[in-house]
Amino acid sequence: MVTEKQGEEAIVSSNLNENDQGNNLDTKEGEDDHSMFGLKSFLWHGGSVWDAWFSCASNQVAQVLLTLPYSFSQLGMLSGILLQIFYGFMGSWTAYLISVLYVEYRSRKEKEGVNFKNHVIQWFEVLDGLLGPYWKVVGLAFNVIFLCFGSVIQLIACASNIYYINDHLDKRTWTYIFGACCATTVFIPSFHNYRLWSFLGLGMTTYTAWYMAIASLVNGQVEGVTHSGPTKLVLYFTGATNILYTFGGHAVTVEIMHAMWKPQKFKYIYLLATLYVFTLTLPSAAAVYWAFGDELLNHSNAFSLLPKSRFRDAAVILMLIHQFITFGFACTPLYFIWEKLIGMHDTKSICLRALARLPVVIPIWFLAIIFPFFGPINSAVGALLVSFTVYIIPALAHMLTYKDASARKNAAEKPPKYFPSWAAMYVVNMFIVVWVLVVGFGFGGWASMTNFIRQVDTFGLFAKCYQCKPPPLHPSNATSLH
């Protein structure tokens, strides 16, 4: 029996390897290019473990890097550091669960003779195959809304960042411009084709993070700096949900896995990516908060307080490019969903698919103009969407998929060696569900929505220039005020 079972697992593993080399519309020609290490293969056809690692790490740290000091001012230094570590490991665990469920779904379907050569598997399809149509609807709803607002945040961040280099145009106008620029991501077919962009994106955020840390330490603390956080429960849980959002890039995990030549090797990639991300987020957020303290409570973008210099301008430009990349990361799963809906997913013409994808970008562009609130949207998305998409749904789905003894016995992926049993996995999963439901969604949802509504009341919808410096007072106007 043991030999027979091992043979069956070997066949499934072999099928996964063979079929993955044709994923995401890459034909046999693409595989040949990959093996020949041609220029096109080197820049365009990414499916290795390293490609997945760069994609995960690059996708985790985009604009949120600039809002973490703001979160530290709400949480205080100690809570900021501890919550980053806590949610980082929790996020890595649920990413592992998603990878296990993907392999389980894939192996079951391939035993039934299903071929995924020209079809990108997505998270809602995994839920549908393992748990049924109701779970598919729930997973699809949360994923679509999360990815939509994730893309919105990138556009807002682009406008917010470029304003610190060129303030001749207001942020709303910059949003119009960058919306048009980011729309060009419709031409990138799949996550296979983000190899070069992922590598460059992580280099850009690495520079920005260390610029923030070094610039803060070199310039020192501002005069009269205070570090009073945490002071209010609303601010504390708003900051906490922003960190919850930081380590919640799982909405694209399945698509990244599916782009790998050997997706079963994904297991610990997200954890390794998170460990690297810690080296960027912890020093930069701590240093900026140390230097500016409570001033950050009114500046959700760290660039607004860092002194103007050529190094800061370089960091702004690099972040702009990276936000374009992250916009593509967040939108690509939406493109896939839309293509499947209108029957264009297996179309091989890049131009035809790009044209079909454009309706996805327009509502995202519009929402970025309506709600230009940088930091508060991060927290609201973290509490209301990431809490379910990234933490609660994967943990519940894993428990329900393997609730039967037969499912556990025939599981494509067994519990990791450092876990003594399935029961231990259930305990961890249940802890995550309860914690995130109460702290993340409950308290975090209350705090983030309270803060978000306050921003709308203060600045209004369609704000022309959110958190911009007021224009200098004209001498004649100044005289008339006296």
Side-chain angles (χ1 to χ4, degrees), residues 181-403:
C181 294
C182 289
T184 59
T185 58
V186 297
F187 289 99
I188 303 176
S190 72
F191 282 100
H192 258 316
N193 314 114
Y194 274 95
R195 163 175 277 185
L196 180 62
W197 289 114
S198 297
F199 175 77
L200 292 176
L202 190 58
M204 292 166 186
T205 47
T206 299
Y207 170 87
T208 303
W210 284 107
Y211 155 73
M212 289 167 60
I214 293 169
S216 299
L217 295 173
V218 168
N219 286 279
Q221 293 181 312
V222 296
E223 187 177 351
V225 65
T226 56
H227 300 86
S228 57
T231 55
K232 298 178 182 178
L233 281 178
V234 169
L235 294 178
Y236 187 87
F237 285 107
T238 301
T241 50
N242 187 40
I243 294 179
L244 184 82
Y245 171 82
T246 303
F247 298 97
H250 302 33
V252 297
T253 299
V254 170
E255 289 82 0
I256 291 173
M257 278 189 72
H258 194 80
M260 294 177 68
W261 309 124
K262 298 179 180 179
Q264 67 272 30
K265 290 189 175 182
F266 184 87
K267 295 180 190 176
Y268 306 112
I269 287 176
Y270 200 91
L271 173 61
L272 296 174
T274 299
L275 293 176
Y276 180 79
V277 167
F278 282 153
T279 69
L280 306 181
T281 58
L282 289 171
S284 61
V288 176
Y289 178 54
W290 170 82
F292 297 100
D294 292 345
E295 283 190 34
L296 285 159
L297 289 170
N298 297 315
H299 296 82
S300 56
N301 189 329
F303 281 147
S304 63
L305 290 175
L306 291 165
K308 185 173 177 58
S309 68
R310 65 180 184 274
F311 297 108
R312 193 196 72 167
D313 289 351
V316 170
I317 293 168
L318 291 177
M319 282 303 293
L320 286 172
I321 300 170
H322 186 256
Q323 279 152 357
F324 164 82
I325 299 167
T326 309
F327 181 91
F329 267 110
C331 262
T332 298
L334 294 176
Y335 296 152
F336 292 155
I337 293 169
W338 178 248
E339 288 170 358
K340 291 171 185 177
L341 182 65
I342 63 175
M344 295 282 289
H345 187 56
D346 58 354
T347 302
K348 295 184 179 181
S349 170
I350 292 178
C351 292
L352 195 58
R353 290 180 72 191
L355 188 63
R357 290 173 169 188
L358 279 176
V360 176
V361 179
I362 294 170
I364 291 169
W365 199 355
F366 187 61
L367 286 169
I369 295 166
I370 299 176
F371 303 111
F373 313 124
F374 191 30
I377 284 187
N378 278 3
S379 299
V381 169
L384 304 180
L385 300 173
V386 173
S387 57
F388 283 93
T389 302
V390 172
Y391 301 97
I392 294 174
I393 291 176
L396 282 176
H398 187 272
M399 287 191 289
L400 292 174
T401 298
Y402 297 110
K403 69 181 188 300

Side-chain angles (χ1 to χ4, degrees), residues 18-71:
E18 289 173 8
N19 285 325
D20 274 325
Q21 295 187 12
N23 285 343
N24 298 340
L25 307 178
D26 280 316
T27 61
K28 183 65 178 165
E29 289 180 17
E31 293 175 37
D32 293 340
D33 287 343
H34 177 74
S35 62
M36 291 169 64
F37 295 100
L39 182 62
K40 182 180 177 182
S41 171
F42 179 74
L43 298 177
W44 192 245
H45 292 288
S48 68
V49 170
W50 280 105
D51 289 312
W53 183 84
F54 277 114
S55 292
C56 288
S58 179
N59 189 48
Q60 275 194 53
V61 283
Q63 92 299 329
V64 76
L65 186 70
L66 307 175
T67 65
L68 285 174
Y70 168 66
S71 297

Side-chain angles (χ1 to χ4, degrees), residues 160-171:
S160 178
N161 290 343
I162 192 63
Y163 183 78
Y164 298 116
I165 291 182
N166 185 336
D167 59 3
H168 296 299
L169 298 177
D170 58 76
K171 292 182 182 179

